């Protein structure tokens, strides 16, 4: 077990009925890059993801397909969600399903505790329910319908009519936690990030919190309320608990104490669930709240949000089929300021692939290895006396390593990549200025040639270590050509300390091959 600090990072669990789109892959990649970075820094890291499988909508879809809801969920997990993780190379340590026995038992244990401690009561509830959202709607959440729904009030997200429901439900005394939540946001200003999401959450809670209906009686696809089996637990209450049931809440205290609390990445549209309801639930159970809830922005395609209800989604595989998983990961982490909305376009990914990956990083790697192969028969040259130009490269390696590490601690993933890219640019500039091919023509410049190529190779190795959390495949290939030991064992916060193999191996192909047809045929 790594001796470092605990770093537990969780993504929201996928709602199985969704169609996987690049928005899902984006959250996963961000969490994965952070997890790989921390793992490679020696932190005791745990990356959790999984699937949300209960609720009325899943029951209805399963029924319409003439299968049980469990069989329906199994099929979607196998055919859609686990393959998505492979498509973008996610290194999750666990995958929890809300139909896992460990989860269902954990939900019941948690709920029973809240019930025993007086945080749950029974009451009548009447309200407008959107099955699409699996949520009761406030009048302000509804808009006038159009088309077939003209004259009706519809859900603003789904554009479909809501249902007026009246039920005897169990309620969670969320209103008790209003002041404690406001105190939390005040005393721990980085609990909700970034700033705009934090402000929205604080405003929301300041308007007053109502108790939360946490059970449903009209259908049975869910976790049964332990003291009243006529009721199933509200899907959001059930789903949020995955973050603690996965790490042994109530059954494995050692694992739980070692991991909890988590850093949680969510899309900003579900920040309220994670930054209001979830910490209130934890407070009621006497558990620590998450270390941080980071609400990232939306991906826009042609200015429109990638959403589950408007099927404008692009499947991640459409992109990885053309550019590969590494380029997918690089592009979305680099081109979009983490925390803000960002626009995806085929032109942009294509341009960055060519300029930054193929010409910038890939070409640098090929050139350095090819010159060492050609001028020194592949034996790694030993540097002689260093000039200020050589020392400047060395200084850049140390500076960008520290800057990237600090940026990753702030979830500023795109800033970490821009810092690392300074080293790509510095190394390319260094080679252009030092002209090793010209030095190679002069017998009396042999030592200088050795110094230049040794310096360039050192920088290239540092880059390989720094980029491995972002582009695990390309960096592994490059490491096999130049490095010694396991790439993922190289401490990323001391990237410049890597050791080269005695000889370099030629790269069989470019790290980022030329793309002939950037946009798949429609
Ligand atoms: Zn809705």
């Amino acid at each position: 077990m790594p001796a470092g600090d605990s770093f537990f990072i969780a993504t929201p669990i996928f709602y199985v009925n969704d169609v996987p789109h690049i928005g899902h892959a984006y959250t996963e990649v961000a969490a994965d890059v952070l997890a790989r970075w921390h793992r490679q820094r020696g932190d005791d890291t745990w990356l959790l993801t999984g699937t949300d499988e209960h609720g009325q909508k899943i029951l209805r879809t399963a029924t319409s397909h003439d299968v049980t809801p469990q069989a329906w969920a199994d099929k979607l997990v196998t055919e859609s969600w686990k393959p998505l993780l492979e498509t973008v190379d996610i290194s999750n340590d666990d995958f929890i399903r809300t139909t896992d026995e460990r989860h269902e038992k954990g939900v019941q244990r948690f709920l029973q505790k809240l019930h025993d401690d007086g945080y749950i009561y029974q009451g009548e509830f009447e309200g407008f329910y959107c099955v699409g959202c699996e949520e009761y709607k406030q009048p302000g959440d509804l808009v006038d319908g159009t088309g077939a729904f003209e004259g009706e009030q519809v859900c603003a997200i789904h554009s479909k009519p809501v249902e007026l429901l009246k039920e005897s439900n169990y309620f969670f005394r969320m209103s008790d936690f209003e002041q404690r939540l406001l105190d939390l946001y005040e005393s721990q200003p980085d609990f909700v990030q970034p700033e705009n999401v934090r402000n929205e959450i604080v405003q929301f809670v300041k308007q007053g919190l109502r108790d939360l209906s946490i059970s449903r009686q009209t259908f049975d696809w869910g976790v049964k309320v332990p003291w009243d089996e006529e009721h199933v637990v509200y899907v959001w209450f059930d789903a949020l608990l995955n973050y603690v049931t996965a790490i042994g809440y109530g059954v494995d205290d050692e694992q739980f104490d070692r991991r909890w609390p988590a850093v949680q990445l969510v899309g900003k549209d579900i920040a309220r669930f994670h930054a209001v309801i979830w910490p209130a639930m934890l407070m009621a159970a006497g558990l620590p709240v998450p270390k941080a809830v980071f609400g990232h922005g939306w991906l826009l395609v042609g200015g429109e949000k990638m959403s589950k209800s408007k099927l404008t989604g692009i499947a991640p595989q459409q992109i990885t089929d053309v550019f590969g998983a590494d380029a997918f990961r690089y592009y979305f982490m680099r081109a979009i300021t983490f925390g803000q909305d960002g626009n995806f376009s085929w032109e942009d990914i294509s341009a960055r692939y060519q300029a930054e990956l193929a010409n910038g990083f890939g070409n640098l790697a090929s050139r350095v290895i090819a010159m060492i192969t050609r001028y020194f028969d592949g034996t790694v040259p030993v540097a002689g006396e260093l000039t200020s130009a050589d020392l400047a490269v060395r200084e850049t390696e140390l500076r960008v390593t520290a800057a990237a590490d600090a940026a990753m601690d702030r979830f500023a993933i795109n800033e970490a990549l821009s810092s690392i890219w300074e080293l790509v640019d510095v190394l390319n500039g260094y080679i252009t200025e030092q002209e090793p091919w010209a030095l190679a023509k002069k017998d009396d410049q042999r030592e200088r040639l050795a110094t230049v190529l040794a310096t360039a190779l050192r920088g290239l190795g540092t880059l390989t270590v720094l980029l491995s959390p972002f582009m695990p495949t390309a960096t592994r290939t490059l490491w096999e050509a130049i490095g010694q030991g396991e790439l993922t064992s190289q401490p990323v916060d001391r990237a410049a300390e890597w050791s080269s193999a005695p000889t370099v191996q030629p790269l069989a192909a470019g790290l980022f091959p030329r793309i002939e047809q950037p946009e798949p045929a429609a």
Side-chain angles (χ1 to χ4, degrees), residues 214-235:
I214 57 151
S215 74
R216 299 290 310 280
Q217 221 183 339
T218 48
F219 63 95
D220 65 355
W221 180 236
V223 179
K224 290 197 165 27
V225 170
W227 62 87
D228 184 348
E229 299 215 330
E230 296 292 296
H231 290 251
V232 294
V233 179
Y234 169 52
V235 280

PDB file of all heavy atoms in Angstrom, residues 214-235:
ATOM      1  N   ILE A 214     -37.884  11.175   0.508  1.00  0.00           N
ATOM      2  CA  ILE A 214     -36.838  10.196   0.166  1.00  0.00           C
ATOM      3  C   ILE A 214     -37.379   8.798  -0.077  1.00  0.00           C
ATOM      4  O   ILE A 214     -36.608   7.843  -0.102  1.00  0.00           O
ATOM      5  CB  ILE A 214     -35.757  10.121   1.263  1.00  0.00           C
ATOM      6  CG1 ILE A 214     -36.393   9.770   2.611  1.00  0.00           C
ATOM      7  CG2 ILE A 214     -34.976  11.411   1.351  1.00  0.00           C
ATOM      8  CD1 ILE A 214     -35.447   9.026   3.509  1.00  0.00           C
ATOM      9  N   SER A 215     -38.694   8.666  -0.249  1.00  0.00           N
ATOM     10  CA  SER A 215     -39.179   7.318  -0.583  1.00  0.00           C
ATOM     11  C   SER A 215     -40.327   7.425  -1.573  1.00  0.00           C
ATOM     12  O   SER A 215     -40.948   8.469  -1.710  1.00  0.00           O
ATOM     13  CB  SER A 215     -39.633   6.586   0.682  1.00  0.00           C
ATOM     14  OG  SER A 215     -40.864   7.104   1.136  1.00  0.00           O
ATOM     15  N   ARG A 216     -40.576   6.334  -2.267  1.00  0.00           N
ATOM     16  CA  ARG A 216     -41.685   6.258  -3.215  1.00  0.00           C
ATOM     17  C   ARG A 216     -42.414   4.948  -2.967  1.00  0.00           C
ATOM     18  O   ARG A 216     -41.804   3.957  -2.591  1.00  0.00           O
ATOM     19  CB  ARG A 216     -41.145   6.285  -4.663  1.00  0.00           C
ATOM     20  CG  ARG A 216     -40.373   7.535  -5.050  1.00  0.00           C
ATOM     21  CD  ARG A 216     -41.254   8.764  -5.177  1.00  0.00           C
ATOM     22  NE  ARG A 216     -42.421   8.497  -6.013  1.00  0.00           N
ATOM     23  CZ  ARG A 216     -42.392   8.498  -7.352  1.00  0.00           C
ATOM     24  NH1 ARG A 216     -41.288   8.765  -8.020  1.00  0.00           N
ATOM     25  NH2 ARG A 216     -43.494   8.245  -8.035  1.00  0.00           N
ATOM     26  N   GLN A 217     -43.738   5.022  -3.190  1.00  0.00           N
ATOM     27  CA  GLN A 217     -44.558   3.863  -2.876  1.00  0.00           C
ATOM     28  C   GLN A 217     -45.216   3.275  -4.104  1.00  0.00           C
ATOM     29  O   GLN A 217     -45.764   2.186  -4.046  1.00  0.00           O
ATOM     30  CB  GLN A 217     -45.649   4.327  -1.904  1.00  0.00           C
ATOM     31  CG  GLN A 217     -45.912   3.356  -0.798  1.00  0.00           C
ATOM     32  CD  GLN A 217     -47.046   3.835   0.079  1.00  0.00           C
ATOM     33  OE1 GLN A 217     -47.370   5.015   0.108  1.00  0.00           O
ATOM     34  NE2 GLN A 217     -47.660   2.911   0.793  1.00  0.00           N
ATOM     35  N   THR A 218     -45.167   3.993  -5.248  1.00  0.00           N
ATOM     36  CA  THR A 218     -45.970   3.596  -6.394  1.00  0.00           C
ATOM     37  C   THR A 218     -45.281   2.576  -7.292  1.00  0.00           C
ATOM     38  O   THR A 218     -45.878   2.070  -8.220  1.00  0.00           O
ATOM     39  CB  THR A 218     -46.329   4.826  -7.226  1.00  0.00           C
ATOM     40  OG1 THR A 218     -45.128   5.587  -7.427  1.00  0.00           O
ATOM     41  CG2 THR A 218     -47.350   5.684  -6.518  1.00  0.00           C
ATOM     42  N   PHE A 219     -44.027   2.287  -7.053  1.00  0.00           N
ATOM     43  CA  PHE A 219     -43.343   1.250  -7.839  1.00  0.00           C
ATOM     44  C   PHE A 219     -42.295   0.632  -6.928  1.00  0.00           C
ATOM     45  O   PHE A 219     -42.036   1.141  -5.841  1.00  0.00           O
ATOM     46  CB  PHE A 219     -42.697   1.849  -9.109  1.00  0.00           C
ATOM     47  CG  PHE A 219     -41.624   2.860  -8.813  1.00  0.00           C
ATOM     48  CD1 PHE A 219     -40.282   2.477  -8.768  1.00  0.00           C
ATOM     49  CD2 PHE A 219     -41.942   4.181  -8.562  1.00  0.00           C
ATOM     50  CE1 PHE A 219     -39.296   3.410  -8.493  1.00  0.00           C
ATOM     51  CE2 PHE A 219     -40.956   5.107  -8.279  1.00  0.00           C
ATOM     52  CZ  PHE A 219     -39.638   4.715  -8.237  1.00  0.00           C
ATOM     53  N   ASP A 220     -41.691  -0.484  -7.376  1.00  0.00           N
ATOM     54  CA  ASP A 220     -40.845  -1.203  -6.427  1.00  0.00           C
ATOM     55  C   ASP A 220     -39.417  -1.435  -6.925  1.00  0.00           C
ATOM     56  O   ASP A 220     -38.697  -2.241  -6.361  1.00  0.00           O
ATOM     57  CB  ASP A 220     -41.493  -2.533  -6.044  1.00  0.00           C
ATOM     58  CG  ASP A 220     -41.580  -3.477  -7.233  1.00  0.00           C
ATOM     59  OD1 ASP A 220     -41.223  -3.047  -8.366  1.00  0.00           O
ATOM     60  OD2 ASP A 220     -42.003  -4.623  -7.058  1.00  0.00           O
ATOM     61  N   TRP A 221     -39.005  -0.718  -8.007  1.00  0.00           N
ATOM     62  CA  TRP A 221     -37.637  -0.940  -8.494  1.00  0.00           C
ATOM     63  C   TRP A 221     -36.671   0.010  -7.765  1.00  0.00           C
ATOM     64  O   TRP A 221     -36.422   1.134  -8.197  1.00  0.00           O
ATOM     65  CB  TRP A 221     -37.557  -0.758 -10.011  1.00  0.00           C
ATOM     66  CG  TRP A 221     -36.173  -0.962 -10.567  1.00  0.00           C
ATOM     67  CD1 TRP A 221     -35.463  -0.067 -11.315  1.00  0.00           C
ATOM     68  CD2 TRP A 221     -35.333  -2.111 -10.436  1.00  0.00           C
ATOM     69  NE1 TRP A 221     -34.231  -0.587 -11.641  1.00  0.00           N
ATOM     70  CE2 TRP A 221     -34.131  -1.855 -11.105  1.00  0.00           C
ATOM     71  CE3 TRP A 221     -35.486  -3.360  -9.786  1.00  0.00           C
ATOM     72  CZ2 TRP A 221     -33.080  -2.765 -11.164  1.00  0.00           C
ATOM     73  CZ3 TRP A 221     -34.439  -4.275  -9.842  1.00  0.00           C
ATOM     74  CH2 TRP A 221     -33.256  -3.977 -10.525  1.00  0.00           C
ATOM     75  N   GLY A 222     -36.190  -0.480  -6.633  1.00  0.00           N
ATOM     76  CA  GLY A 222     -35.299   0.336  -5.823  1.00  0.00           C
ATOM     77  C   GLY A 222     -34.935  -0.400  -4.552  1.00  0.00           C
ATOM     78  O   GLY A 222     -35.300  -1.565  -4.372  1.00  0.00           O
ATOM     79  N   VAL A 223     -34.204   0.311  -3.674  1.00  0.00           N
ATOM     80  CA  VAL A 223     -33.815  -0.287  -2.395  1.00  0.00           C
ATOM     81  C   VAL A 223     -35.001  -0.145  -1.437  1.00  0.00           C
ATOM     82  O   VAL A 223     -35.542   0.958  -1.284  1.00  0.00           O
ATOM     83  CB  VAL A 223     -32.576   0.424  -1.815  1.00  0.00           C
ATOM     84  CG1 VAL A 223     -32.184  -0.192  -0.476  1.00  0.00           C
ATOM     85  CG2 VAL A 223     -31.408   0.376  -2.794  1.00  0.00           C
ATOM     86  N   LYS A 224     -35.390  -1.227  -0.806  1.00  0.00           N
ATOM     87  CA  LYS A 224     -36.547  -1.162   0.098  1.00  0.00           C
ATOM     88  C   LYS A 224     -36.192  -0.414   1.383  1.00  0.00           C
ATOM     89  O   LYS A 224     -35.100  -0.573   1.915  1.00  0.00           O
ATOM     90  CB  LYS A 224     -37.020  -2.577   0.441  1.00  0.00           C
ATOM     91  CG  LYS A 224     -37.655  -3.273  -0.756  1.00  0.00           C
ATOM     92  CD  LYS A 224     -38.478  -4.464  -0.322  1.00  0.00           C
ATOM     93  CE  LYS A 224     -39.415  -4.981  -1.407  1.00  0.00           C
ATOM     94  NZ  LYS A 224     -39.035  -4.753  -2.799  1.00  0.00           N
ATOM     95  N   VAL A 225     -37.139   0.433   1.830  1.00  0.00           N
ATOM     96  CA  VAL A 225     -36.948   1.114   3.113  1.00  0.00           C
ATOM     97  C   VAL A 225     -36.970   0.033   4.199  1.00  0.00           C
ATOM     98  O   VAL A 225     -37.922  -0.746   4.270  1.00  0.00           O
ATOM     99  CB  VAL A 225     -38.064   2.166   3.328  1.00  0.00           C
ATOM    100  CG1 VAL A 225     -38.043   2.707   4.752  1.00  0.00           C
ATOM    101  CG2 VAL A 225     -37.911   3.298   2.303  1.00  0.00           C
ATOM    102  N   PRO A 226     -35.909  -0.050   5.024  1.00  0.00           N
ATOM    103  CA  PRO A 226     -35.758  -1.232   5.880  1.00  0.00           C
ATOM    104  C   PRO A 226     -36.903  -1.450   6.875  1.00  0.00           C
ATOM    105  O   PRO A 226     -37.238  -2.587   7.169  1.00  0.00           O
ATOM    106  CB  PRO A 226     -34.425  -1.015   6.600  1.00  0.00           C
ATOM    107  CG  PRO A 226     -34.017   0.388   6.340  1.00  0.00           C
ATOM    108  CD  PRO A 226     -34.731   0.829   5.106  1.00  0.00           C
ATOM    109  N   TRP A 227     -37.520  -0.381   7.376  1.00  0.00           N
ATOM    110  CA  TRP A 227     -38.584  -0.576   8.373  1.00  0.00           C
ATOM    111  C   TRP A 227     -39.978  -0.551   7.745  1.00  0.00           C
ATOM    112  O   TRP A 227     -40.972  -0.719   8.430  1.00  0.00           O
ATOM    113  CB  TRP A 227     -38.491   0.497   9.469  1.00  0.00           C
ATOM    114  CG  TRP A 227     -38.681   1.887   8.927  1.00  0.00           C
ATOM    115  CD1 TRP A 227     -39.869   2.537   8.756  1.00  0.00           C
ATOM    116  CD2 TRP A 227     -37.676   2.763   8.442  1.00  0.00           C
ATOM    117  NE1 TRP A 227     -39.654   3.759   8.189  1.00  0.00           N
ATOM    118  CE2 TRP A 227     -38.310   3.937   7.991  1.00  0.00           C
ATOM    119  CE3 TRP A 227     -36.265   2.686   8.338  1.00  0.00           C
ATOM    120  CZ2 TRP A 227     -37.613   5.014   7.448  1.00  0.00           C
ATOM    121  CZ3 TRP A 227     -35.584   3.766   7.805  1.00  0.00           C
ATOM    122  CH2 TRP A 227     -36.244   4.904   7.365  1.00  0.00           C
ATOM    123  N   ASP A 228     -40.054  -0.330   6.426  1.00  0.00           N
ATOM    124  CA  ASP A 228     -41.357  -0.280   5.769  1.00  0.00           C
ATOM    125  C   ASP A 228     -41.176  -0.687   4.312  1.00  0.00           C
ATOM    126  O   ASP A 228     -40.923   0.142   3.438  1.00  0.00           O
ATOM    127  CB  ASP A 228     -41.936   1.142   5.871  1.00  0.00           C
ATOM    128  CG  ASP A 228     -43.341   1.218   5.282  1.00  0.00           C
ATOM    129  OD1 ASP A 228     -43.771   0.252   4.610  1.00  0.00           O
ATOM    130  OD2 ASP A 228     -44.004   2.253   5.480  1.00  0.00           O
ATOM    131  N   GLU A 229     -41.299  -1.977   4.052  1.00  0.00           N
ATOM    132  CA  GLU A 229     -40.937  -2.509   2.738  1.00  0.00           C
ATOM    133  C   GLU A 229     -41.928  -2.167   1.633  1.00  0.00           C
ATOM    134  O   GLU A 229     -41.735  -2.538   0.484  1.00  0.00           O
ATOM    135  CB  GLU A 229     -40.690  -4.017   2.841  1.00  0.00           C
ATOM    136  CG  GLU A 229     -39.534  -4.323   3.793  1.00  0.00           C
ATOM    137  CD  GLU A 229     -38.702  -5.509   3.358  1.00  0.00           C
ATOM    138  OE1 GLU A 229     -39.265  -6.419   2.714  1.00  0.00           O
ATOM    139  OE2 GLU A 229     -37.483  -5.515   3.641  1.00  0.00           O
ATOM    140  N   GLU A 230     -42.980  -1.415   1.979  1.00  0.00           N
ATOM    141  CA  GLU A 230     -43.898  -0.913   0.950  1.00  0.00           C
ATOM    142  C   GLU A 230     -43.234   0.233   0.170  1.00  0.00           C
ATOM    143  O   GLU A 230     -43.707   0.623  -0.888  1.00  0.00           O
ATOM    144  CB  GLU A 230     -45.174  -0.352   1.601  1.00  0.00           C
ATOM    145  CG  GLU A 230     -46.006  -1.382   2.346  1.00  0.00           C
ATOM    146  CD  GLU A 230     -46.619  -2.385   1.395  1.00  0.00           C
ATOM    147  OE1 GLU A 230     -47.441  -1.970   0.562  1.00  0.00           O
ATOM    148  OE2 GLU A 230     -46.236  -3.583   1.457  1.00  0.00           O
ATOM    149  N   HIS A 231     -42.164   0.777   0.720  1.00  0.00           N
ATOM    150  CA  HIS A 231     -41.528   1.947   0.120  1.00  0.00           C
ATOM    151  C   HIS A 231     -40.160   1.589  -0.449  1.00  0.00           C
ATOM    152  O   HIS A 231     -39.436   0.794   0.133  1.00  0.00           O
ATOM    153  CB  HIS A 231     -41.300   3.032   1.186  1.00  0.00           C
ATOM    154  CG  HIS A 231     -42.553   3.677   1.658  1.00  0.00           C
ATOM    155  ND1 HIS A 231     -42.885   4.966   1.338  1.00  0.00           N
ATOM    156  CD2 HIS A 231     -43.563   3.193   2.426  1.00  0.00           C
ATOM    157  CE1 HIS A 231     -44.049   5.266   1.901  1.00  0.00           C
ATOM    158  NE2 HIS A 231     -44.483   4.218   2.567  1.00  0.00           N
ATOM    159  N   VAL A 232     -39.823   2.228  -1.577  1.00  0.00           N
ATOM    160  CA  VAL A 232     -38.437   2.144  -2.042  1.00  0.00           C
ATOM    161  C   VAL A 232     -37.798   3.523  -1.892  1.00  0.00           C
ATOM    162  O   VAL A 232     -38.468   4.557  -1.923  1.00  0.00           O
ATOM    163  CB  VAL A 232     -38.296   1.649  -3.503  1.00  0.00           C
ATOM    164  CG1 VAL A 232     -38.750   0.206  -3.620  1.00  0.00           C
ATOM    165  CG2 VAL A 232     -39.018   2.552  -4.482  1.00  0.00           C
ATOM    166  N   VAL A 233     -36.475   3.508  -1.759  1.00  0.00           N
ATOM    167  CA  VAL A 233     -35.723   4.741  -1.518  1.00  0.00           C
ATOM    168  C   VAL A 233     -35.646   5.561  -2.806  1.00  0.00           C
ATOM    169  O   VAL A 233     -35.406   5.019  -3.884  1.00  0.00           O
ATOM    170  CB  VAL A 233     -34.298   4.392  -1.017  1.00  0.00           C
ATOM    171  CG1 VAL A 233     -33.475   5.663  -0.787  1.00  0.00           C
ATOM    172  CG2 VAL A 233     -34.362   3.557   0.260  1.00  0.00           C
ATOM    173  N   TYR A 234     -35.872   6.849  -2.666  1.00  0.00           N
ATOM    174  CA  TYR A 234     -35.759   7.804  -3.768  1.00  0.00           C
ATOM    175  C   TYR A 234     -34.399   7.638  -4.459  1.00  0.00           C
ATOM    176  O   TYR A 234     -33.370   7.548  -3.809  1.00  0.00           O
ATOM    177  CB  TYR A 234     -35.914   9.213  -3.172  1.00  0.00           C
ATOM    178  CG  TYR A 234     -35.575  10.367  -4.061  1.00  0.00           C
ATOM    179  CD1 TYR A 234     -36.129  10.485  -5.324  1.00  0.00           C
ATOM    180  CD2 TYR A 234     -34.720  11.373  -3.609  1.00  0.00           C
ATOM    181  CE1 TYR A 234     -35.820  11.567  -6.132  1.00  0.00           C
ATOM    182  CE2 TYR A 234     -34.411  12.468  -4.407  1.00  0.00           C
ATOM    183  CZ  TYR A 234     -34.962  12.554  -5.668  1.00  0.00           C
ATOM    184  OH  TYR A 234     -34.643  13.625  -6.455  1.00  0.00           O
ATOM    185  N   VAL A 235     -34.415   7.593  -5.802  1.00  0.00           N
ATOM    186  CA  VAL A 235     -33.202   7.227  -6.539  1.00  0.00           C
ATOM    187  C   VAL A 235     -31.990   8.104  -6.251  1.00  0.00           C
ATOM    188  O   VAL A 235     -30.870   7.617  -6.216  1.00  0.00           O
ATOM    189  CB  VAL A 235     -33.393   7.186  -8.074  1.00  0.00           C
ATOM    190  CG1 VAL A 235     -34.053   5.905  -8.473  1.00  0.00           C
ATOM    191  CG2 VAL A 235     -34.122   8.387  -8.600  1.00  0.00           C
TER     192      VAL A 235
END
